[in-house]
Amino acid sequence: MRAVSADGQEMTVQNILDWMQRTHGWTVTMLLHGFTVLYDSGEKEGIRALMKKQRLSATLENAGEPQQRVLKLEYVCEEEDAETEATRPPLMCFLP
């Protein structure tokens, strides 16, 4: 997916979560780039709110990762079994 919002800016984590819900009907409980957690529904509400409003590249920069334009995101969805999780393809995001 092209990770650009309607206003031409890089998408936030919330934009990605909304897109996955709208496009696939998935409620994402965890969103990762490698070992970097972009979103975890198990976190406290305040931390989740901060995670959601971060732009994808800002989250990775804060984790000390080098700047990238193509991101391979892994995700875990609500009510998902281990077999489904293991066979689900990653989400490829292309940043502006």
Side-chain angles (χ1 to χ4, degrees):
M1 78 171 288
R2 193 159 178 264
V4 179
S5 62
D7 63 0
Q9 298 295 312
E10 179 183 328
M11 285 185 165
T12 64
V13 171
Q14 181 67 63
N15 296 139
I16 298 293
L17 297 174
D18 291 346
W19 179 85
M20 293 177 84
Q21 177 67 47
R22 199 174 46 253
T23 305
H24 300 288
W26 298 333
T27 300
V28 176
T29 57
M30 186 169 278
L31 185 64
L32 306 129
H33 177 264
F35 294 108
T36 302
V37 177
L38 302 172
Y39 176 75
D40 181 354
S41 66
E43 287 287 352
K44 294 179 183 176
E45 187 172 335
I47 294 172
R48 282 194 323 263
L50 290 173
M51 290 175 151
K52 288 179 177 182
K53 70 179 184 179
Q54 286 282 326
R55 299 224 176 266
L56 293 174
S57 62
T59 303
L60 298 174
E61 286 173 19
N62 292 341
E65 292 194 31
Q67 190 175 37
Q68 302 171 46
R69 294 288 116 204
V70 178
L71 304 177
K72 179 180 173 182
L73 303 181
E74 303 290 335
Y75 48 94
V76 177
C77 297
E78 203 171 70
E79 300 178 17
E80 187 172 63
D81 61 27
E83 184 177 314
T84 304
E85 185 179 331
T87 60
R88 184 183 356 84
L91 175 64
M92 299 302 291
C93 289
F94 300 93
L95 301 177

